Every structure is written in C-alpha cells, then in structure tokens.
Amino acid sequence: MSASLAEPHGGLLSVRRIPSACGQRLRTIDVRLADRPDLREQAHDLLNRMYGSRGYGMAHLLPDNGDHQAVFTAALEDAVIATLTLTVDSPAGLSTDQTFRTELDALREAPGARLCELTKFAVDPMTKSPSVLAGLFHVIFIYGMQRFDCTDLVIEVHPRHVRYYEAMLGFDRLGPPKMDESVSWWPKDTPVQLMRLKVCDVADQINRFAGRADKIGRSLYPYFFSRDEEQDVARRVARLWDRDAGCAEPRSRNGMSGTFWRSAA
C-alpha cells in the first residue's frame, strides 16, 4: 500500500505495511530522505550506537543532504531502524579514494561511468524483516538512478561482511583487501574490502526476482518493490528533487522514463 504524495514533509519516498511478529496486525515501514531534524537525530544515534558496539567509536557525523550526498532512513512505526548514505562522485572524489584510488580510477575510465558510494550503514539488530532493508536499498537504487544517473555502486566493508553483500545484493569484490590508514576509527590491524555493484545488474535482479516468493534464498531482491510500488517511488523522487518542474512522469537526467530500469535490463 502506498501513501499519498501530498505529505507534509517532502522526504517520504516509500511506505509499506508488513505483518507484525505475531501476524495479528500490520506495521508501517517508511523510507525517507532524512530532511527533518528528528530523523537525522535518530539516524545519528543509531549510527553511533551500532558503530560503537563494534569498537568503531561513537563520534560519527552524518553529512548534509546536497548536490552530491543524500542520507536515507528506514523507520518502523516512526522509529528509525536503519540508515544509509549515498554519495555521488564529484571533483572532490569519494571517501573510498583514500584507499582504493587506483581501482576507482579504472572504473571512471569507462564511457559514461558515474560512481556512487554507500557509507554510514547501520541497522538496529532487532530488525528481522528483510522487507526493511530491501525497501531501503530499492529506494536508494531508484534515487541514485534518477537523481545522479549512477552506473556503479561501490562500498568498503569489513572482510567478514563480504559474503553478506555478495549473497544479499550481488556485490563483487574489486581487488584484494587493503589497510586503510586514513580512517582514525578503523582498527589499524584490519583491512577493508572494496566491493562493486553494477547498476545494470541491480536492474536485472529486480526484473527477475522482485516479488518472487519462490526465489527467496539469501537474496534481498525477492523483497524489492513491485512494479507499481517502484513507479510510485520514482514519482516521489522526481517530485522531491524537481518540484518546480511539476513533472508527472519520473525521468532520469538522460531522459529515460521511470520504468526504464525494468525494460532495459
């Protein structure tokens, strides 16, 4: 079920209702661009609580939403339970350049390449429903396509999390792990692994598996949005970042319609 576009805060991008643990009532999950102080405060607290529990410190800050960055939250019954930040490549580069500049420059050489980076990912450990993470990643995928024309998503992860990203979303390892000397909070004796996910591969997985309950496995893609839900999110994104244009049909900056990632896969 989708909520109306006429929301008091423009950052609402998706609404889902899922059964509670006992199955007796439906709970509301929404994904938003974190454009309100209360959302950002909850996301900040969650980020530092989760990072702190793993020994990564508790002084992490969220960036401001702007031309090259966007902070997203997933909330269950108005309580933020997940957050993730999307950063698009720019003349300033990406934080991943500190350790993997050679690998990223090789990706940038591809015609039409536009890199986007996922950072500051935190999830409440009590979150059990895969629909929460699937909705968050699907919204970010749509936003990244429409707002930034992303072609490749990159992420730095702890080596023990590599299999998670491979199985859940289809990320590939890019080169060997490296020591990251630029980040003060990262354990000095622990390397980081660069991983990459082609946006065209995401589109293919969504097209093949979204809504396919018979193809669950460990992948998140069966929990991604239906076509109608996806189009609703695309319209919300279009209105969010191009409000003055009054466009009814979502468009990416290359002029393709909001449903193109399904048909082009």
Side-chain angles (χ1 to χ4, degrees), residues 136-152:
L136 179 62
F137 279 108
H138 202 162
V139 165
I140 291 174
F141 165 69
I142 295 170
Y143 190 97
M145 287 288 287
Q146 289 198 199
R147 182 71 177 93
F148 297 133
D149 279 346
C150 295
T151 61
D152 299 84

Side-chain angles (χ1 to χ4, degrees), residues 147-165:
R147 182 71 177 93
F148 297 133
D149 279 346
C150 295
T151 61
D152 299 84
L153 294 171
V154 297
I155 190 170
E156 281 186 355
V157 304
H158 190 289
R160 68 170 175 259
H161 296 152
V162 165
R163 285 294 303 136
Y164 172 88
Y165 286 96

Side-chain angles (χ1 to χ4, degrees), residues 17-29 76 129 131:
R17 290 180 173 84
I18 64 171
S20 63
C22 62
Q24 295 182 350
R25 68 182 184 90
L26 295 178
R27 300 181 298 171
T28 300
I29 298 173
L76 179 62
S129 173
S131 295

Side-chain angles (χ1 to χ4, degrees), residues 17 72 110 163 188 196 206 235 240 263:
R17 290 180 173 84
F72 297 87
R163 285 294 303 136
K188 296 301 182 184
R196 173 225 195 168
I206 293 172
R235 289 194 179 96
L240 180 65
S263 59

Side-chain angles (χ1 to χ4, degrees), residues 10-250:
L12 180 64
L13 297 176
S14 79
V15 177
R16 274 180 155 178
R17 290 180 173 84
I18 64 171
S20 63
C22 62
Q24 295 182 350
R25 68 182 184 90
L26 295 178
R27 300 181 298 171
T28 300
I29 298 173
D30 64 64
V31 177
R32 294 178 179 265
L33 185 69
D35 63 349
R36 296 178 355 212
D38 63 314
L39 287 178
R40 294 185 65 86
E41 181 178 356
Q42 288 190 62
H44 176 266
D45 290 346
L46 174 64
L47 179 70
N48 282 290
R49 187 169 74 252
M50 294 299 98
Y51 277 37
S53 69
R54 292 169 172 78
Y56 301 157
M58 299 184 66
H60 304 277
L61 301 175
L62 292 173
D64 293 329
N65 294 320
D67 291 339
H68 300 291
Q69 287 185 309
V71 179
F72 297 87
T73 59
L76 179 62
E77 304 291 339
D78 296 325
V80 171
I81 55 175
T83 184
L84 184 59
T85 296
L86 177 71
T87 303
V88 65
D89 204 5
S90 71
L94 301 170
S95 63
T96 317
D97 278 307
Q98 297 289 337
T99 306
F100 295 101
R101 180 62 179 267
T102 300
E103 291 83 353
L104 295 187
D105 280 348
L107 295 180
R108 292 177 174 116
E109 291 177 359
R114 192 81 185 275
L115 307 187
C116 286
E117 176 184 59
L118 299 175
T119 61
K120 301 184 185 299
F121 181 36
V123 184
D124 189 302
M126 298 303 292
T127 300
K128 303 300 182 183
S129 173
S131 295
V132 175
L133 293 184
L136 179 62
F137 279 108
H138 202 162
V139 165
I140 291 174
F141 165 69
I142 295 170
Y143 190 97
M145 287 288 287
Q146 289 198 199
R147 182 71 177 93
F148 297 133
D149 279 346
C150 295
T151 61
D152 299 84
L153 294 171
V154 297
I155 190 170
E156 281 186 355
V157 304
H158 190 289
R160 68 170 175 259
H161 296 152
V162 165
R163 285 294 303 136
Y164 172 88
Y165 286 96
E166 289 176 336
M168 292 294 188
L169 292 164
F171 274 88
D172 293 319
R173 307 178 205 199
L174 201 59
K178 293 184 178 180
M179 304 303 294
D180 189 345
E181 303 294 340
S182 66
V183 182
S184 60
W185 51 268
W186 189 261
K188 296 301 182 184
D189 59 346
T190 303
V192 290
Q193 175 67 57
L194 178 65
M195 304 192 76
R196 173 225 195 168
L197 181 59
K198 295 180 181 179
V199 167
C200 63
D201 290 343
V202 177
D204 179 63
Q205 292 295 309
I206 293 172
N207 197 40
R208 294 170 61 193
F209 298 118
R212 293 284 305 277
D214 60 322
K215 298 290 185 181
I216 298 299
R218 295 185 61 193
S219 172
L220 283 179
Y221 288 111
Y223 299 96
F224 272 45
F225 299 130
S226 68
R227 290 175 183 266
D228 288 343
E229 290 174 311
E230 183 181 68
Q231 186 69 358
D232 183 56
V233 174
R235 289 194 179 96
R236 291 173 183 271
V237 171
R239 293 191 180 191
L240 180 65
W241 66 268
D242 199 14
R243 290 181 180 126
D244 294 338
C247 53
E249 176 70 10

